[in-house]
Amino acid sequence: MTDVATLVNQGFFSREDVIQLLNADREDRSLLFAKAAEIKEKYVGNIVYFRGLIEFSNICEKNCFYCGIRKGNRNVKRYNLTDDEILNAAGFAYESNYGSVVLQGGELDSPAFSDRIERLVKGIKELSGDKLGITLSVGEQSPEVYRRWFEAGAHRYLLRIESSSRDLYYRIHPNDKTHSFERRLKALQDLKDTGYQVGTGVMIGLPFQTMEDLADDLLFMKEMDIDMCGMGPYIEHVDTPLWEFRDRLLPLEERFNLALKMIAILRLLMNNINIASATALQAIDPIGREKALKIGANIIMPNITPGAYRNDYKLYENKPCTDEEAADCKNCLEARIHMSGNKIGYNEWGDSQHFKDKH
Ligand code: SAH
Ligand code: SF4
């Protein structure tokens, strides 16, 4: 077997290589992290770009087995921000020089929902004089809807594959028409065909998930030639079907370490994509997101959802900063990012270099 010191300097990684890196012990892990940091600096620089995250509604038609805001959870107080509240949050991002916003929420499939998102995208473009970049993350939609939103001004889309293994996918989702693995794959392809910068990702440390699955997830992202990635640890939620399997999960700290390795390996596999430092990292380690920025991630998504609603957007337990307001996040983050040795790309879209090189 090739030693890790040699392995990380190879330009090409087989499935076995990726599995070996995922299993790296403490010493080898440091070599992996150092190499990923070097590649990050070389290809995307030590600049972190902000995406102000607006979790605009927790109303969802789906029933993903891991998610706290799934339709079947009756213990959630459902909310839906008004258009004004959403535009005000975007205005805050603009005034704070964040450069971009993400509209994220439960998945709905209706003409009223499509119209609303289109209206909001146009509204955000208008209030910022076209300056704010817009990422959408509202699940699977038809190619026509994706096109309308793209034409309205959204230019990036996040849709995690959650797991690239069809088997595992159906262990964490109901096996029915609204949760079809094939439909999710098609949605990712539709997004690419429409012209979006496309981001995907997975949860790390799911019950039943193996190292082989995670290696395949990374190779899937490479094969899909994605532009952006957001992936983080799976964190169990009491009001979900997967809670029952909590005894077979890796301890939180190991899930966290595995998530960092996933980010570092992805940076080696795809040098110039954008990789987000997921909020779920911070749910485990108070400086988890900063650790990810040091070893490969270059995007952070400060939460700018009005504080009153944050408690109700609990995808998982222990979600950080649910008692903060947007302005608190801003100050706190600036200090944290400087500490991690990175600069902030204020007022810039910070588009995926990978996407730019392709077009
Ligand atoms: N409804 C949209 C966007 C909101 S959910 C969608 O599903 O695409 C955003 C992400 O939260 C999901 O893609 C999922 O990967 C993550 N998530 C949900 N529940 C989680 C949990 N228990 N632990 C970690 N991440 C979770
Ligand atoms: Fe809905 Fe997204 Fe949660 Fe699935 S992960 S239940 S689609 S909010």
Side-chain angles (χ1 to χ4, degrees):
M1 202 191 273
T2 322
D3 62 282
V4 166
T6 314
L7 196 59
V8 293
N9 286 303
Q10 278 177 193
F12 172 80
F13 301 90
S14 69
R15 183 171 188 256
E16 282 61 43
D17 295 340
V18 175
I19 294 170
Q20 191 186 339
L21 290 174
L22 285 170
N23 283 316
D25 61 16
R26 189 175 276 275
E27 208 172 302
D28 284 342
R29 199 175 67 193
S30 313
L31 293 171
L32 165 65
F33 289 169
K35 188 68 193 176
E38 184 190 317
I39 299 266
K40 175 192 160 188
E41 182 161 4
K42 180 162 166 203
Y43 287 91
V44 296
N46 277 344
I47 304 179
V48 173
Y49 298 101
F50 279 0
R51 315 313 187 199
L53 175 64
I54 309 172
E55 300 164 331
F56 67 90
S57 168
N58 65 0
I59 303 170
C60 188
E61 269 170 9
K62 288 178 102 170
N63 249 324
C64 308
F65 290 159
Y66 42 84
C67 179
I69 62 168
R70 62 200 301 273
K71 184 179 182 181
N73 183 8
R74 289 165 181 252
N75 296 333
V76 180
K77 199 166 101 215
R78 302 288 166 177
Y79 73 88
N80 193 358
L81 296 191
T82 63
D83 285 9
D84 276 350
E85 284 171 316
I86 297 170
L87 294 174
N88 281 339
F92 169 84
Y94 179 56
E95 281 154 24
S96 310
N97 309 312
Y98 278 4
S100 296
V101 290
V102 182
L103 287 187
Q104 187 178 79
E107 183 177 318
L108 295 176
D109 171 16
S110 73
F113 184 72
S114 316
D115 290 350
R116 179 173 198 221
I117 300 291
E118 183 178 20
R119 192 167 68 233
L120 287 167
V121 169
K122 287 186 177 157
I124 293 170
K125 283 287 169 191
E126 201 175 295
L127 74 86
S128 66
D130 273 346
K131 295 243 170 54
L132 275 179
I134 302 177
T135 308
L136 296 177
S137 178
V138 283
E140 294 157 37
Q141 305 285 337
S142 69
E144 296 70 39
V145 170
Y146 284 151
R147 171 147 305 283
R148 273 176 58 197
W149 295 345
F150 186 73
E151 280 168 2
H155 74 299
R156 309 186 195 107
Y157 205 102
L158 295 175
L159 185 74
R160 288 185 175 179
I161 189 69
E162 315 295 1
S163 168
S164 65
S165 149
R166 196 174 186 281
D167 274 0
L168 181 53
Y169 192 88
Y170 283 120
R171 285 184 161 214
I172 61 171
H173 296 99
N175 191 344
D176 60 21
K177 243 176 54 210
T178 25
H179 300 82
S180 149
F181 180 65
E182 278 68 34
R183 183 162 180 239
R184 199 144 187 103
L185 284 177
K186 181 177 178 303
L188 278 174
Q189 191 56 50
D190 290 341
L191 287 164
K192 279 179 87 172
D193 295 345
T194 311
Y196 285 96
Q197 292 172 51
V198 178
T200 193
V202 296
M203 281 170 287
I204 298 154
L206 286 162
F208 319 112
Q209 190 179 47
T210 62
M211 288 297 175
E212 285 74 17
D213 289 329
L214 288 170
D216 289 338
D217 289 337
L218 292 171
L219 296 171
F220 167 85
M221 294 183 219
K222 172 107 181 149
E223 175 73 26
M224 278 292 291
D225 199 29
I226 55 155
D227 308 299
M228 328 183 286
C229 174
M231 59 182 166
Y234 160 70
I235 301 174
E236 61 273 32
H237 188 294
V238 60
D239 294 316
T240 61
L242 288 190
W243 177 253
E244 143 183 18
F245 303 107
R246 64 191 176 286
D247 293 341
R248 54 168 85 198
L249 299 174
L250 287 172
L252 277 177
E253 198 190 328
E254 281 179 45
R255 261 181 268 168
F256 176 85
N257 287 330
L258 198 51
L260 287 189
K261 284 187 197 167
M262 287 285 284
I263 290 174
I265 300 169
L266 185 63
R267 181 56 77 198
L268 300 192
L269 288 173
M270 302 189 78
N271 299 163
N272 58 358
I273 63 168
N274 277 348
I275 305 181
S277 180
T279 312
L281 291 164
Q282 201 190 339
I284 300 182
D285 181 331
I287 54 164
R289 287 188 303 183
E290 292 72 17
K291 288 185 178 169
L293 293 177
K294 276 197 162 163
I295 55 97
N298 67 325
I299 302 288
I300 211 153
M301 293 162 56
N303 196 336
I304 56 170
T305 311
Y309 297 103
R310 289 189 188 190
N311 228 354
D312 298 317
Y313 198 81
K314 282 221 167 130
L315 307 174
Y316 45 82
E317 297 293 327
N318 238 336
K319 198 161 169 266
C321 305
T322 48
D323 53 0
E324 310 282 320
E325 278 294 341
D328 303 327
C329 284
K330 179 167 181 262
N331 298 333
C332 163
L333 261 176
E334 280 178 1
R336 285 161 171 264
I337 287 166
H338 289 301
M339 250 165 31
S340 75
N342 284 275
K343 286 195 285 256
I344 301 168
Y346 281 122
N347 288 317
E348 289 180 67
W349 284 5
D351 279 339
S352 160
Q353 190 56 44
H354 187 74
F355 181 86
K356 288 191 211 159
D357 290 352
K358 276 192 288 188
H359 293 84

